[in-house]
């Protein structure tokens, strides 16, 4: 069962249900990363880009890890605790793999 399974305690870091926009999840060590598609109507975007939210849960509940778009000129917006972390490149590679092949089945 993925982190996107419906349940009363399964919320994204932004408080929305974990099934909304769920693309899949992956692990590294004790951390579970869950990727969500926020869609083209993400506030603050003048263009119709696709925005994504990546949450991380290491046992203390979902927290935002980063947000990014499909615009190649945009840089990921990492949460302060993840800025410069050695896992960031690996995390983005896994996110791109989930975008190309979502685990929604």
């Amino acid at each position: 069962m993925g982190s996107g399974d419906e349940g009363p305690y399964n919320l994204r870091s932004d408080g929305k249900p974990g099934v909304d926009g769920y693309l899949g999840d992956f692990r590294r060590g004790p951390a579970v990363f869950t990727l969500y598609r926020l869609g083209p109507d993400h506030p603050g975007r003048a263009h119709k880009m696709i925005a994504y939210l990546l949450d991380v849960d290491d046992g203390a509940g979902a927290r935002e890890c980063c947000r990014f778009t499909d615009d190649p000129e945009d840089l990921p917006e990492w949460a302060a605790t993840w800025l410069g972390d050695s896992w960031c490149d690996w995390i983005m590679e896994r996110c791109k793999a989930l975008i190309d092949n979502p685990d929604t089945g």
Side-chain angles (χ1 to χ4, degrees), residues 4-66:
D5 295 329
E6 196 166 358
Y9 303 107
N10 183 22
L11 297 175
R12 302 183 331 196
S13 62
D14 62 5
K16 295 189 179 178
V19 296
D20 289 356
Y22 176 78
L23 293 178
D25 54 61
F26 54 94
R27 291 182 173 273
R28 184 161 182 176
V32 178
F33 297 89
T34 307
L35 182 63
Y36 302 97
R37 181 178 190 259
L38 299 179
D41 296 324
H42 185 62
R45 294 290 179 180
H47 304 290
K48 296 267 183 185
M49 292 177 244
I50 304 299
Y52 299 92
L53 166 66
L54 180 68
D55 281 349
V56 61
D57 187 344
D58 58 4
R63 293 178 317 282
E64 185 174 314
C65 180
C66 78

